[in-house]
Amino acid sequence: QLQASGGGFEQAGGSLRLSCAVSGRTFSSYVMGWFRQAPGKEREFVAAIRWIRGSTSYSDLVKGRFTISKDNAKNTVYMQMRSLKVEDTAVYYCACGTRYSPRPLDYDYWGQGTQVTVSS
């Protein structure tokens, strides 16, 4: 089970931190990803992290502004979002899969989503 939280309203240039609490199984061999979906658009990849190795990847749209991280002891994945832009407005989802991939289809488990709204 994945539980996302931390969304909210922020002005452009501000920061937010999203959390994704993982429970119910051992995710040591998995990849955790963050995706987002804006109204009328397809779900898109934001960032991913390998649970064991800790290696990360980012969409070019957020590289240098967003940072994905994890706390193994807390079974939680975070995404620190800085220098937010209006176009970052979307519902953000955390997901878990076995492939280090930017494709939503490669992720098997999804959280419920948390809304991020950035105003100008």
Side-chain angles (χ1 to χ4, degrees):
Q1 184 177 4
L2 308 179
Q3 183 73 33
S5 61
F9 292 89
E10 185 57 75
Q11 288 189 328
S15 299
L16 284 171
R17 189 177 80 157
L18 305 183
S19 300
C20 178
V22 179
S23 62
R25 61 175 60 237
T26 301
F27 286 90
S28 60
S29 61
Y30 282 68
V31 174
M32 298 298 298
W34 283 100
F35 292 79
R36 67 187 183 186
Q37 189 165 17
K41 295 188 176 182
E42 292 186 353
R43 191 167 297 189
E44 66 176 8
F45 172 76
V46 178
I49 186 167
R50 292 184 191 271
W51 195 262
I52 292 180
R53 297 180 185 179
S55 50
T56 59
S57 65
Y58 296 92
S59 160
D60 288 342
L61 295 174
V62 306
K63 197 173 295 183
R65 300 188 298 120
F66 291 10
T67 303
I68 189 171
S69 62
K70 61 183 178 65
D71 185 329
N72 289 25
K74 295 182 178 179
N75 267 5
T76 301
V77 175
Y78 304 97
M79 188 159 70
Q80 179 67 52
M81 305 186 295
R82 297 182 176 89
S83 301
L84 285 164
K85 302 178 180 180
V86 172
E87 51 265 41
D88 292 322
T89 296
V91 177
Y92 283 72
Y93 298 89
C94 60
C96 177
T98 55
R99 284 184 132 182
Y100 195 53
S101 165
R103 301 192 315 163
L105 289 176
D106 288 326
Y107 291 77
D108 304 307
Y109 304 97
W110 291 82
Q112 83 286 5
T114 184
Q115 176 71 46
V116 171
T117 303
V118 184
S119 62
S120 58

